[in-house]
Amino acid sequence: MEQIAAALGDGARWRIVELLAERPRSVGELAELTGLRQPQTTKHLQTLTRVGLVTVFPLGQRRVYAVEAGPLKDFGSRVRALIESIEANEGERDVLTRYQAAISADTAAASRDRWADGRAFAFDRLLAAPRDYVWRHWTDPALLASWWAPPSMTVTDCVIEPWTGGRAVLDYRDAEGRYRSAGEVRAATEPEHLEFDLSVLDAKGDTSFTGHYDLKFTEAPGGTRLRLDLRITETTVEAVPFIAGIETGWGQVLDNLAARIIQEKD
């Protein structure tokens, strides 16, 4: 497929294939129709022949070329599969569009530190599992690591110790770098209520902003109603990309949790 794509990536060769799709043609005729010199045309035809797109028919002193449909069908199938994959995952592109818009809006607002202090977010999910099951996915480090990161991110360390004064830690990385957060659990009542602070740290270990998380786990028909309220303080100008991504990022993370629970139960 790579060789065929490379061969068709040249405009002259693509035009030759278009002409051969109409009917077999000689080198001279192809050179005349494409405006190329005959040696150039021959060289392009040799490339197309090597990857199986064209077959040559020696007819006495003439050489006539015909296109092969089979490799093009295979190539077309791969392209169609690629298009289907793109269309099926259009939501991922939409996430980037929303994130870009949020960064632009917050950049305009972030003229000084504390610019977003007090900003609040709320998330609500119905999870298809009992409360104690959902609770464990927040307080068991192995389970927490299985869902607590957006796509493309890898969790390297995470813990929420479910008692007052317990540690709250989230470290994750991607190809661009490492991201660290640390804080403290303020309240924990299994399996009903979990409250903790988590500060996002910059490369020097200084706080970019702090998130104050309040989670409620309520029994509901079909499982557990999870309500997450988040309020941010100590916001710095440099925190713009993080704060702009909260809405989208936490939406993705909670989707991960819901999908993980369904997967485990199946």
Side-chain angles (χ1 to χ4, degrees), residues 11-210:
R13 289 194 289 269
W14 181 269
R15 179 57 181 151
I16 288 172
V17 170
E18 286 183 323
L19 291 168
L20 292 178
E22 298 172 354
R23 61 179 175 82
R25 300 178 189 270
S26 67
V27 177
E29 184 180 3
L30 289 168
E32 182 178 345
L33 291 171
T34 59
L36 298 170
R37 292 184 291 109
Q38 190 158 317
Q40 290 177 297
T41 305
T42 299
K43 188 174 180 179
H44 285 311
L45 287 166
Q46 289 171 343
T47 298
L48 293 168
T49 301
R50 280 197 299 271
V51 300
L53 286 171
V54 165
T55 298
V56 59
F57 292 86
L59 302 175
Q61 299 299 314
R62 299 175 68 240
R63 297 171 68 83
V64 176
Y65 291 82
V67 70
E68 296 294 336
L72 286 171
K73 287 180 180 178
D74 293 340
F75 185 72
S77 296
R78 292 284 292 274
V79 172
R80 283 192 295 274
L82 183 62
I83 292 170
E84 290 171 2
S85 180
I86 292 170
E87 292 175 342
N89 294 288
E90 282 181 338
E92 298 296 327
R93 182 187 179 92
D94 292 341
V95 166
L96 289 178
T97 301
R98 293 197 302 273
Y99 185 29
Q100 183 182 44
I103 288 177
S104 296
D106 281 345
T107 298
S111 58
R112 62 187 184 280
D113 288 345
R114 304 283 183 170
W115 63 277
D117 279 19
R119 185 179 294 187
F121 304 84
F123 304 91
D124 196 283
R125 287 289 189 285
L126 178 62
L127 302 172
R131 285 193 300 175
D132 61 342
Y133 194 88
V134 177
W135 176 269
R136 288 200 303 274
H137 279 72
W138 282 89
T139 57
D140 181 307
L143 293 175
L144 189 61
S146 72
W147 62 268
W148 198 7
S152 80
M153 302 291 187
T154 300
V155 173
T156 54
D157 185 22
C158 65
V159 62
I160 299 177
E161 296 175 338
W163 55 81
T164 301
R167 292 182 306 127
V169 174
L170 172 62
D171 283 10
Y172 57 91
R173 61 175 174 79
D174 62 9
E176 306 300 322
R178 179 187 175 195
Y179 309 90
R180 299 182 299 142
S181 301
E184 183 177 329
V185 174
R186 300 299 179 184
T189 304
E190 182 179 354
E192 301 173 358
H193 180 225
L194 186 61
E195 189 176 340
F196 59 93
D197 299 335
L198 200 59
S199 296
V200 175
L201 307 177
D202 63 18
K204 297 179 181 178
D206 296 328
T207 297
S208 290
F209 76 94
T210 296

